[in-house]
Amino acid sequence: QVQLVESGGGLVQPGGSLRLSCVASGSISVLGVMAWYRQAPGKQRDLVANITTGGTSNYADSVKGRFTISRDNAKNTVYLQMNSLKPEDTAVYFCGVQILYGLIMREYWGQGTQVTVSS
């Protein structure tokens, strides 16, 4: 069994910063791409950023230059540093991690953490 636990969400004023963490635990043999998604009320879940095992990252246009994704493979952890937060960043943030399951990479999800940007 695999568990993903996110932390670091909360309420922050516009222009503020938050750092999200997601720790994977359980039967983990190989970690693949690690990612952050977000879902605002009434909207679909969108990719925010992802990072490969080699450290190559990719960002949604809306967060480029403000958010930074990183990973610590030794700790099975992915981070999302969010700076210059805007009200439109308000959403539930989910981590998604690819983990080897048998012979295929399967994506596992965390339970989500709420980020609210408001004055």
Side-chain angles (χ1 to χ4, degrees):
Q1 267 191 332
V2 173
Q3 275 194 318
L4 300 182
V5 178
E6 299 115 332
S7 60
L11 173 64
V12 64
Q13 291 187 342
S17 298
L18 284 174
R19 189 191 194 208
L20 306 183
S21 300
C22 172
V23 181
S25 62
S27 302
I28 299 170
S29 56
V30 178
L31 280 176
V33 174
M34 305 179 86
W36 287 97
Y37 297 79
R38 67 186 180 187
Q39 187 168 20
K43 295 189 176 182
Q44 66 182 19
R45 188 176 298 187
D46 291 325
L47 177 68
V48 175
N50 61 23
I51 184 167
T52 67
T53 54
T56 300
S57 56
N58 176 56
Y59 297 92
D61 288 342
S62 58
V63 306
K64 281 180 182 176
R66 299 188 297 122
F67 290 10
T68 302
I69 190 170
S70 60
R71 63 190 285 167
D72 185 332
N73 292 325
K75 296 181 179 179
N76 294 338
T77 300
V78 60
Y79 305 97
L80 186 68
Q81 178 67 44
M82 304 186 294
N83 299 328
S84 303
L85 282 161
K86 305 175 181 180
E88 51 263 43
D89 294 318
T90 295
V92 179
Y93 284 70
F94 299 87
C95 65
V97 177
Q98 292 181 349
I99 298 172
L100 188 64
Y101 181 82
L103 298 177
I104 62 171
M105 297 299 283
R106 174 182 171 181
E107 190 158 39
Y108 292 82
W109 296 90
Q111 80 288 350
T113 185
Q114 177 69 47
V115 171
T116 303
V117 184
S118 175
S119 54

